[in-house]
Each structure stands twice: as structure tokens, then as C-alpha cells.
Amino acid sequence: MKQFISTEDVPGVPRLVDIALDYKKNPHKDKGLGENKTLGMIFLNPSLRTRLSTQVAARNLGMEVVVFNIDKEGWQLEMNDGVVMNGNTSEHVREAAAVMGQYFDIMAIRTFPGLKDKQEDYSEKYINQFIKYAGVPVVSLESATLHPLQSLTDVITIKERWTAPRKPKVVMTWAPHVKALPQAVPNSFAQWMNAWGEVDFTITHPEGYELDPKFSGSAKIEYNQEKALEGADFVYVKNWSSYQDYGKIINSDPAWMVTNERLKNTNDAKIMHCLPVRRNVVIADEVLDGPNSIVIPEAGNRVWAAQAVLSEILKNGK
Amino acid sequence: MKQFISTEDVPGVPRLVDIALDYKKNPHKDKGLGENKTLGMIFLNPSLRTRLSTQVAARNLGMEVVVFNIDKEGWQLEMNDGVVMNGNTSEHVREAAAVMGQYFDIMAIRTFPGLKDKQEDYSEKYINQFIKYAGVPVVSLESATLHPLQSLTDVITIKERWTAPRKPKVVMTWAPHVKALPQAVPNSFAQWMNAWGEVDFTITHPEGYELDPKFSGSAKIEYNQEKALEGADFVYVKNWSSYQDYGKIINSDPAWMVTNERLKNTNDAKIMHCLPVRRNVVIADEVLDGPNSIVIPEAGNRVWAAQAVLSEILKNGK
Amino acid sequence: MKQFISTEDVPGVPRLVDIALDYKKNPHKDKGLGENKTLGMIFLNPSLRTRLSTQVAARNLGMEVVVFNIDKEGWQLEMNDGVVMNGNTSEHVREAAAVMGQYFDIMAIRTFPGLKDKQEDYSEKYINQFIKYAGVPVVSLESATLHPLQSLTDVITIKERWTAPRKPKVVMTWAPHVKALPQAVPNSFAQWMNAWGEVDFTITHPEGYELDPKFSGSAKIEYNQEKALEGADFVYVKNWSSYQDYGKIINSDPAWMVTNERLKNTNDAKIMHCLPVRRNVVIADEVLDGPNSIVIPEAGNRVWAAQAVLSEILKNGK
């Protein structure tokens, strides 16, 4: 694996999941693999789980880790080519990425979308500029439109819980929120569910929240949440802003909040969320604190997802 | 030791002091103890000594360290239960603490009081929420009402300097400041002096600055600073805001600043302060730069206090 | 070497360059040298290359590294002696430096000039206060008037590219910028070129941008950029504000921007810059993206410069 931005970079999803689950059993078995290698973690935006779990994963592999909040500890980068840089940006990504590529063996980057310009966000300009100039393998810590470490984690979390001979019914449901959020997590979850293929996958949301078909792909779309959730084995809850009316909150119907009542016709479904979650807005306390929530072990699996990805790049990336 | 929040968590103060002084002689003797263990250091507030000394201590034990300024690199946490999270908080401590507990073997947390609501601060709501949900041992890097790593350091610093057969006279004196400061350091110093028991302990402050009796305990209270300081062997200087008129500066009499003149009737007392100290407001230059100030070696001892605590938790915490 | 602030601390520039180039060939050959030693990196100002390359260098030597953004993660330091600290500064450098000296074996510090008070900046008050009170070797990560890790890097970068029997012609040219920048990089480059002595060194800038003669020394000064660049083998581009009319932009003539046209009479000169560089203000895209730009490998050499300096201090600093 030479980079990790989307499913397209992954030779096989099931194999990567197996590698992650092996690390979960024996976190320090490859402590020599990253010896004398450095991971640079570059944040253009805040992070909790991704930041912390990836550090732990890299150290489990014996890598050095350097964390750099470039937005706070450095300065603003210019992402556009050909610009006369007489404004607020102090350094061009052409230099910043290339220089960091001189220091690090792998670069991991978090960069959120602006949610103003759909074309710019969906071209993944920011992370692609880093990839173009870094000269070393790049790992996404969430980019404008995808969050692959989260989605790999989600596959792992479903896989380790499902032993029945049939495919589990997985339903991703939109839920309300007070802010306009990126589509990165739902796009990515859909892309990975489709690439994995071992689930019966449905997406439910109010009309107007359709995701980019490039990512939703062959998923069933059902506008009636109650109907969608019938018989679900796993319910993946997430808010996102509109892709069509780009970056807008076009509906924030509180009836879409996930409650026990809403979940009563599922197949005793496990509840997943990438976190952070706004309690009693997106999901009710009773669900998060109930026996079916798996959001904490799901977050715990972030370590093994990151460790699988880093190990594959260390083995094959150069 | 399963956590480190107050003296109540410590099986024996003298034993912990001995462990610390052993590490001071041989810092790297237990380099294997923390192998493949990670300390997560979570800051909700700024820090210099605590931050740096605890990192050094953990590395001396071979632990990995991950530092996270959650207030700056993450987002605001919700600490209250049952809330509809449609405001400024993005994640509930129930998730944040539990998730970090998935990544770390020990969590160390700094969280200051608001100084608005005595009951909330003195219930130690913030650090208790972390303890409740982390699922791993929690070490206080200073909480709303106590600063145990500082106080253990202070015991160490007195202990290593006192060889006479009698108990030393230790006087903690309030001193002026321009800001309303927490009672955490004086509460904690009093609690540790009382728990240690090997000192003759007096507290002096203007009327109205009485500490919570739960912490001042059996200490002598003397409102006349000059009288209190007579014959002192150690003078511990610190400002704090009122506990009774909660969080208020009710008196800022500059005559309480610690000067050589004020110290003339002590027993050639050593001068201690937790730092940072505002020079010529709290303590005069002449004292801090004089031969009796031990504030720098006191701060140096922070490493050995933290190392003793972490080692005890690594040995017995789980 | 006991500290690293300027060429005056360096026993021999060529020897230090050789040490650096040896590390470039074998980065991990001295992995045991820094065992159980900690480098404290203290930032009073932002940094990218210096921050990241020095961390990598220290880890290559087996040192622990603690990074502390004292301006953001701590509080404001008082640098003046004898002050009544009732204002915005919370801790005096006398305590802060001395305490950090208790925790670290080497302290590295970045502190920019205010560009208001020439005398204060040129006395190097800030870094000198750290040196005075730290009690351990101090390495400059750029101070008010000098940036020695950058300049050592620049010597390395020229040295490894020049094999002809004659001295290379090195021209440092001022170029326009939108902000008033320190003189630290040009002062330092001049000082190191003069100390190294193995180059034919010219400085060109508009009138009024003369550097402190203490640093420009024996360099040729030429006010006509075109004439200065004739026959140059290396062109070192940098903006700086006026030393005479201290901290002011007295001329921002865009004709001084470095373009291919401007470089046509050089000896196919290699183009250097310390970065960050504002494209199409300081240097044109065509130059930075052209075959003669060596700014990226120059930045890469920062690691070896830092590693040479740290190794010399580890060997001889105490």
C-alpha cells in the first residue's frame, strides 16, 4: 500500500481487517517494523480519536511520531498554484509538503472541507496537493470527503461481532445536528461497506440529503427512517449537511434523533457512531448508555485500524 | 495505588517519599517498568512544571507519553449529565474519557476550578467524571481543589533537607496577588502536611481567607503573619482567593508580601513556592534571589514525585 | 561545544559541516549517544522546519524530546529584572529557565525580535536570559538577531554541491516582502559565510537595508542587484526589514523579486532560501519550480545541522 485515502488504495478490505484484528490480539508483535522511521502527523483541524489512536498505533510499531498542529504552531498554507502570495498565507503547500517529506517516512494529514465550494472540496485539493509534493506515503486522518481510518474501524467493529451465516443488515441513518457537518464520514462508510461487500447495506435520510452517488453506490436508499431500521443488525448514526444544496442544513427534524422507540423494530441492533456525538440531539442518552451501544469499543478499534494501515505502508510503501 | 487525586489514595506518605528519593538517585533504574504502556496527559488548562516534569518522569520509566491539549487541539467537553447538547460543547465526558481510556494505560488530567460555584468545584465534578468513565487509573495534574503532585514534591523537598531530631516548623503564608487564584495548592499542601504528620504546621492569612476545614484540619491558624513566622524552619508562600466568599479577593494588603524583613524572626527559614510566582507582588526579589530560596530545587523534585506515583500505579494500579 | 547561538560558539565551521555530512550518510550511527538525555524545545514563536527537523535529529541520537509552546500552552514570561509583576506576565524567566534546566539536559529556544527596540533586540536579551538561568546548554532555534541552525545548514548545502578548485561566488540578495521581517537570517548567513571563509561573498540590497556591520563584516556590498548577481554560483534570497531605520520597510521595489530574467547572467546559479517563501513576491514560481532551485534539499539538510550540533553538545557540553 502506497497511500491511504480511500478504498481504492486498499488491495483487499478483508485482508486489512484481518491484519488489524491480529494487532488487537498482539499489539506489540511488530515493534521492530517501524524502527528508525518517523510518522509526521499534520493537523489543519482539531482531532481527538484520530490523533490519539494513530499515535498509539505508530508507537506500537516502534515508529517515532512527530505531531504538528500547523494551523496553530505554524502558519497558514497557500493551496492554490500561481498565486501572488501577498495576503494571509505565509507558505505554499509545494514547499511545506516537500520539506516535511524530507523529515518524515510517512505523513498523515487531517484537513476538513470548507463546505462552501463543492467542486473544490470534492476534488480533494488539499490532501491531493500534499500527496503531489510530499514525496512520501500519505495517510488521510480525514480529508474533505472521506475518513478512511474511521471506516476501516467500522468494518473491523462489525466483522468481529458478526458470526451468523447470513449477511448482517447495516443501516446508516442521518440524524439531526446544530451545525453543518462534512459528508466525509457517511461518504466513507458507504464506500467501505460497498467495497467490503459482506453486508446488506441501507442508507436512510430526509429527502435532499442524498450523498454523492460515487460513494453511496449500490446502497439501498430509504427515506422513511422507521421502515429502514426494521430488522437492522447494526445502526450507524451520523449527521451530515446536504451534498446537493452544498453544505447547507436543509432539514433538522428532531424526529430523526435515534431513540429506543425508533430502534424497537430492529433486530436488537448494535448502535455505532464515529464520535464526537451530541447527546440528545443526534442520539438519546438512553441509547448511548444502553446495552446495545458499541461506540466506545468502536473508538477503541481505531488503534488497530491505524496500526494495520501503517504496517502495510511500512512493508510495501516505498 | 489505583489513582492519585489526594492523600486518601496513598497507602503511606513516607513510603512514597522514599520511592521518590530513590528515583532521584537513580532515575533510570525502572526503565523497563513502563514498557509498552502509554500515559495520556490531558490538559484542560495551561501548565509548565507539571506538564514537563511528568513527561520526563514517564519516559524515565520507559512509558510512551501522549500529550493532548484538549481545550486547544480538540473541543469543549460537556460535563453535565442529561443535557441536550445543542450549545458550545461538542462531546460529552462520558465518551471522551471512555475513549481515551481505550488508548491509554494511565490518564493524567489537569482541570482548574471555575471559581464561580463553590459546590461544583468542591465536588470535583470534572476530575470525578473522568475517573468515573475512563476505566483506567487517573492521576491529577491539579484539579479544582487539590494539586497532589505539587504537595508530594513539597514533602520530599522538606524531608530531604531536615535531619534534626525535632519536627520542623512549617508555616504556609498567604501572600497578595493580582488575580483570583484557586485554593488547590494551599488545600493540598495542608492535606499532605497533616497526612505526613512529621511537621509542626501553621497557616497564616488575613481573616476571611480560611481554607476548607476538611483540608486545613489540625493546622494552627494564626492571623498575624509576623507572629506566625517566628521560628519557622520552612515558609511556604502562596496566594489564594477566599473559600468563604467564594473565589473573591477580599484583601490584597501588600504588607503580606514576603520580604527579608518579614522573615527576620524565622529560624533562617527555607522559602518554598509552587511557582509560577509574581515577583515583588507575592515574594520580593531579595528573597527569591537570596540564599534561602529553594524554589528551583523544589520544582526539580516534581520529576521524582511524578515518577514515584506513576511507578506505584504501574505496579499496582490494575 | 557548550551552547549554539552564533559562530563564536563553534570551534571550527568545517569540522561541524563534516560531522553533519557524516550523519547524512548514516543518520542512526550515534543512537546511543543521547540515551537517557532529554532535549526541551521551547517555542515563544511559531516554527515549521526548525521544530520538525530538530525533533528528528534528536531522536536520531536517541534523545527524548519534549516540545513546549510556552506562548500557547503556558503563559507569558517576564524578561525584565526588578519589575513589580502586577501586569500580564505570570512568570519570570529567572524561574522558568531555571526550572526547565532541572528537567532537560539541553534546552533549545526560539524567540523572535520585537522589531521595535533595536538595542533590546540586538542585546539578545531574551535568549541571554535563558542562557543565564537555564544552567544547561542552550541551542538557538532562532533568536532576535541570528538563526545559526539555518546558516550551518546553508554552509552544508553549498559545501556538498561545490567541488571546483576555486571559491564559489555566493550572493545574498534582499527581495521584497509584505511584512517587516527580522534580520536574523541574513545576519546569520553573513556571519557564517565570513566565518567559513571558503566563499567569495557579496550582499546586495537597496540602500538603507545595510545589515549590522558586526555581521556583514568583510562582505562586498553592491547596491545594483543585476551587477551583484553576475557570475554568481549560489544566490541566497531573503527579505529583511531595515536595521538603520529599525524594523521598517523602507523600500519594497518589486523589481528586486528574483526571476529567471534577473538570474540570466549568473553562472547557472543554484537558488537558496531559508523558507517559508512567499511565491511571486520574493521569488517567482518559475525559479522555485525550475531546475536550479535547491530550497527543498536545503531544508532537508536542517536535520543534519541540528544533529551535528546536538551531538557536539552531548559529547562536550557538560
Side-chain angles (χ1 to χ4, degrees):
Chain A
M1 207 155 65
K2 296 207 181 311
Q3 63 179 27
F4 185 73
I5 311 301
S6 80
T7 55
E8 289 164 31
D9 302 309
V10 179
V13 173
R15 189 173 156 273
L16 200 55
V17 171
D18 287 344
I19 293 168
L21 288 170
D22 268 3
Y23 280 127
K24 186 167 183 173
K25 277 184 234 146
N26 193 347
H28 303 103
K29 67 174 183 168
D30 281 341
K31 193 107 192 187
L33 185 62
E35 201 186 344
N36 293 336
K37 303 283 184 187
T38 305
L39 172 69
M41 294 181 64
I42 316 302
F43 289 92
L44 285 80
N45 297 98
S47 170
L48 188 154
R49 273 152 288 276
T50 306
R51 171 191 300 269
L52 304 178
S53 62
T54 306
Q55 284 184 71
V56 172
R59 293 299 302 160
N60 284 351
L61 294 167
M63 297 190 84
E64 302 298 337
V65 181
V66 173
V67 176
F68 183 38
N69 299 300
I70 196 169
D71 57 332
K72 299 181 186 73
E73 301 172 308
W75 34 73
Q76 208 181 328
L77 296 186
E78 179 60 54
M79 292 291 178
N80 295 304
D81 292 328
V83 171
V84 177
M85 287 174 58
N86 56 6
N88 292 324
T89 56
S90 296
E91 181 158 12
H92 201 283
V93 67
R94 285 174 179 243
E95 274 77 49
V99 167
M100 292 192 283
Q102 299 274 312
Y103 303 147
F104 303 133
D105 298 283
I106 302 176
M107 276 173 65
I109 293 156
R110 166 163 286 204
T111 167
F112 286 170
L115 291 182
K116 304 280 184 205
D117 179 337
K118 185 199 279 198
Q119 204 185 337
E120 180 176 300
D121 290 347
Y122 274 70
S123 75
E124 287 285 5
K125 187 169 72 172
Y126 278 39
I127 201 160
N128 280 330
Q129 288 279 56
F130 275 99
I131 292 168
K132 191 169 175 184
Y133 296 110
V136 297
V138 171
V139 170
S140 167
L141 301 172
E142 186 173 344
S143 66
T145 70
L146 292 169
H147 193 353
L149 284 171
Q150 178 63 52
S151 305
L152 171 56
T153 300
D154 297 330
V155 176
I156 293 165
T157 304
I158 294 171
K159 163 85 176 177
E160 66 178 349
R161 274 170 183 74
W162 191 253
T163 51
R166 67 174 173 87
K167 288 185 177 181
K169 178 174 179 183
V170 175
V171 180
M172 176 165 73
T173 180
W174 181 93
H177 199 281
V178 294
K179 284 188 173 177
L181 298 187
Q183 297 98 34
V185 169
N187 282 342
S188 195
F189 185 76
Q191 188 191 41
W192 282 75
M193 286 299 114
N194 289 328
W196 187 28
E198 299 180 18
V199 296
D200 170 12
F201 182 43
T202 300
I203 307 175
T204 182
H205 52 70
E207 289 194 45
Y209 279 113
E210 291 77 11
L211 296 170
D212 183 347
K214 178 171 65 173
F215 299 120
S216 52
S218 59
K220 284 169 218 119
I221 311 298
E222 168 57 62
Y223 296 109
N224 182 317
Q225 191 190 38
E226 212 162 353
K227 201 171 152 195
L229 292 174
E230 271 172 31
D233 299 296
F234 294 88
V235 176
Y236 196 84
V237 190
K238 185 73 186 84
N239 169 270
W240 61 89
S241 62
S242 176
Y243 170 70
Q244 286 170 26
D245 191 2
Y246 191 64
K248 295 289 189 305
I249 299 177
I250 55 171
N251 180 332
S252 53
D253 183 359
W256 280 75
M257 179 169 82
V258 173
T259 60
N260 280 341
E261 171 66 22
R262 280 273 144 169
L263 294 167
K264 68 183 174 191
N265 292 326
T266 67
N267 182 31
D268 198 29
K270 300 297 181 197
I271 309 304
M272 302 173 71
H273 190 284
C274 61
L275 306 179
V277 63
R278 288 181 174 243
R279 283 172 166 254
N280 304 315
V281 175
V282 179
I283 305 179
D285 276 348
E286 61 184 16
V287 176
L288 284 164
D289 299 331
N292 281 26
S293 167
I294 57 172
V295 300
I296 303 304
E298 179 188 1
N301 281 336
R302 294 292 304 270
V303 174
W304 321 117
Q307 195 165 342
V309 165
L310 292 172
S311 72
E312 284 299 283
I313 292 178
L314 285 169
K315 283 177 190 154
N316 314 304
K318 282 188 145 177
Chain B
M1 209 155 62
K2 296 208 182 310
Q3 62 179 27
F4 186 73
I5 312 300
S6 81
T7 54
E8 289 165 32
D9 302 309
V10 179
V13 173
R15 189 173 156 274
L16 201 55
V17 171
D18 288 344
I19 293 169
L21 288 169
D22 269 1
Y23 280 127
K24 187 168 183 172
K25 278 184 233 146
N26 193 348
H28 302 102
K29 67 173 183 169
D30 281 340
K31 193 106 192 190
L33 186 61
E35 201 187 344
N36 293 336
K37 302 283 184 188
T38 304
L39 172 69
M41 295 181 63
I42 316 301
F43 291 92
L44 284 79
N45 297 98
S47 170
L48 188 153
R49 273 152 289 278
T50 307
R51 173 192 299 270
L52 303 177
S53 62
T54 306
Q55 284 185 70
V56 172
R59 293 299 302 159
N60 284 350
L61 294 167
M63 295 190 85
E64 302 298 336
V65 181
V66 173
V67 176
F68 183 38
N69 299 299
I70 197 170
D71 57 331
K72 299 180 185 73
E73 301 172 308
W75 35 73
Q76 207 180 328
L77 296 186
E78 179 60 54
M79 292 291 179
N80 295 304
D81 291 329
V83 172
V84 176
M85 287 174 59
N86 56 7
N88 293 324
T89 57
S90 297
E91 181 158 12
H92 201 282
V93 67
R94 285 175 179 242
E95 275 77 49
V99 167
M100 292 192 284
Q102 299 274 311
Y103 304 147
F104 303 132
D105 298 283
I106 302 176
M107 275 173 66
I109 293 156
R110 166 162 286 204
T111 167
F112 287 170
L115 292 181
K116 304 281 183 203
D117 178 336
K118 186 199 280 200
Q119 203 184 338
E120 179 176 300
D121 290 347
Y122 274 70
S123 75
E124 288 285 6
K125 187 169 71 173
Y126 278 38
I127 201 160
N128 281 331
Q129 289 279 57
F130 275 98
I131 292 167
K132 190 167 175 187
Y133 297 109
V136 297
V138 170
V139 170
S140 167
L141 301 172
E142 186 173 345
S143 67
T145 70
L146 292 169
H147 192 354
L149 284 171
Q150 178 64 51
S151 306
L152 171 56
T153 300
D154 296 331
V155 176
I156 294 166
T157 304
I158 293 170
K159 162 86 177 176
E160 67 178 350
R161 272 168 184 75
W162 191 255
T163 51
R166 67 172 173 88
K167 288 185 177 181
K169 179 174 179 184
V170 175
V171 180
M172 177 165 74
T173 180
W174 181 94
H177 199 282
V178 295
K179 283 189 175 178
L181 298 188
Q183 298 98 35
V185 169
N187 281 343
S188 194
F189 186 75
Q191 188 191 43
W192 282 75
M193 286 300 113
N194 290 329
W196 187 28
E198 299 180 18
V199 297
D200 171 11
F201 183 44
T202 298
I203 306 175
T204 182
H205 52 71
E207 288 194 47
Y209 280 114
E210 290 77 11
L211 296 170
D212 184 347
K214 178 172 63 173
F215 299 121
S216 52
S218 59
K220 284 168 219 124
I221 312 296
E222 169 57 64
Y223 296 109
N224 182 319
Q225 190 189 39
E226 212 162 351
K227 201 170 152 197
L229 292 174
E230 270 173 29
D233 298 297
F234 294 88
V235 177
Y236 196 84
V237 191
K238 186 69 186 85
N239 168 270
W240 61 89
S241 62
S242 176
Y243 170 71
Q244 285 170 28
D245 192 2
Y246 191 63
K248 295 289 189 305
I249 298 176
I250 55 171
N251 179 333
S252 52
D253 182 359
W256 281 76
M257 180 169 81
V258 174
T259 60
N260 281 341
E261 170 65 22
R262 281 271 144 170
L263 294 167
K264 69 183 175 192
N265 292 326
T266 67
N267 184 31
D268 197 30
K270 301 297 181 198
I271 309 305
M272 301 174 70
H273 190 284
C274 62
L275 306 179
V277 63
R278 287 181 175 243
R279 283 173 166 255
N280 304 315
V281 174
V282 179
I283 305 180
D285 275 347
E286 61 185 15
V287 176
L288 283 165
D289 298 331
N292 283 25
S293 167
I294 55 171
V295 300
I296 304 303
E298 180 188 0
N301 281 337
R302 295 291 305 269
V303 175
W304 321 118
Q307 195 166 341
V309 166
L310 292 173
S311 73
E312 284 300 282
I313 292 178
L314 284 170
K315 283 177 190 154
N316 313 305
K318 282 188 146 175
Chain C
M1 208 154 64
K2 295 206 183 308
Q3 62 179 27
F4 186 74
I5 312 301
S6 80
T7 55
E8 289 164 33
D9 302 310
V10 179
V13 173
R15 188 174 157 273
L16 200 56
V17 171
D18 288 344
I19 293 169
L21 288 170
D22 269 1
Y23 281 126
K24 187 167 182 173
K25 277 184 234 145
N26 193 347
H28 302 103
K29 67 173 182 168
D30 281 340
K31 192 106 193 189
L33 186 61
E35 200 186 344
N36 292 336
K37 304 281 185 190
T38 304
L39 172 69
M41 295 181 63
I42 317 301
F43 291 92
L44 284 81
N45 297 99
S47 170
L48 188 153
R49 272 152 290 277
T50 306
R51 173 192 298 269
L52 303 178
S53 62
T54 306
Q55 284 185 70
V56 172
R59 294 299 301 160
N60 283 350
L61 294 167
M63 296 190 85
E64 302 298 336
V65 180
V66 174
V67 176
F68 183 38
N69 299 299
I70 197 170
D71 58 332
K72 299 179 186 74
E73 300 172 309
W75 35 73
Q76 207 181 329
L77 296 186
E78 179 59 54
M79 293 291 178
N80 295 303
D81 291 330
V83 172
V84 177
M85 288 174 58
N86 57 5
N88 292 324
T89 58
S90 297
E91 181 158 12
H92 201 283
V93 67
R94 285 174 180 244
E95 274 76 49
V99 167
M100 291 193 283
Q102 300 273 313
Y103 303 147
F104 303 132
D105 298 282
I106 302 177
M107 274 173 65
I109 293 155
R110 165 161 288 203
T111 166
F112 287 170
L115 291 182
K116 305 280 184 203
D117 178 337
K118 185 199 277 198
Q119 204 183 338
E120 179 175 302
D121 289 348
Y122 274 70
S123 74
E124 288 285 7
K125 187 169 72 173
Y126 277 38
I127 201 161
N128 280 331
Q129 289 279 56
F130 275 99
I131 291 167
K132 191 167 175 187
Y133 297 110
V136 296
V138 170
V139 170
S140 167
L141 301 172
E142 186 172 344
S143 67
T145 70
L146 292 169
H147 193 354
L149 284 171
Q150 178 63 50
S151 306
L152 171 56
T153 300
D154 297 330
V155 175
I156 293 165
T157 305
I158 294 171
K159 162 84 176 177
E160 66 177 352
R161 274 169 182 74
W162 191 254
T163 51
R166 66 173 175 88
K167 287 185 176 181
K169 179 174 178 183
V170 175
V171 181
M172 176 165 74
T173 180
W174 181 94
H177 199 281
V178 294
K179 284 188 173 177
L181 297 188
Q183 297 98 35
V185 169
N187 282 343
S188 195
F189 186 75
Q191 188 191 41
W192 282 76
M193 287 298 114
N194 290 328
W196 187 28
E198 298 180 20
V199 297
D200 171 11
F201 182 43
T202 299
I203 306 176
T204 182
H205 52 70
E207 289 193 46
Y209 278 114
E210 290 77 10
L211 295 170
D212 183 347
K214 178 171 64 172
F215 299 121
S216 53
S218 59
K220 283 169 218 122
I221 311 297
E222 168 57 63
Y223 296 109
N224 181 319
Q225 190 190 39
E226 211 162 354
K227 201 170 150 195
L229 293 174
E230 272 172 28
D233 299 298
F234 293 89
V235 177
Y236 196 84
V237 190
K238 186 70 186 85
N239 169 270
W240 61 89
S241 63
S242 176
Y243 171 69
Q244 286 171 26
D245 192 1
Y246 190 64
K248 295 288 189 303
I249 299 176
I250 55 172
N251 179 333
S252 54
D253 183 358
W256 280 75
M257 179 170 81
V258 173
T259 59
N260 280 341
E261 171 65 21
R262 280 271 144 171
L263 294 167
K264 69 183 174 190
N265 292 325
T266 67
N267 183 30
D268 197 29
K270 300 296 181 199
I271 308 307
M272 301 174 70
H273 190 284
C274 62
L275 306 180
V277 62
R278 287 181 174 243
R279 284 173 166 255
N280 304 315
V281 175
V282 179
I283 304 179
D285 275 347
E286 61 185 15
V287 176
L288 284 165
D289 298 331
N292 283 26
S293 167
I294 56 171
V295 300
I296 303 304
E298 180 188 1
N301 281 336
R302 295 290 306 270
V303 174
W304 322 117
Q307 196 165 340
V309 166
L310 292 172
S311 73
E312 284 299 282
I313 292 178
L314 284 170
K315 282 177 191 156
N316 313 304
K318 284 189 144 177

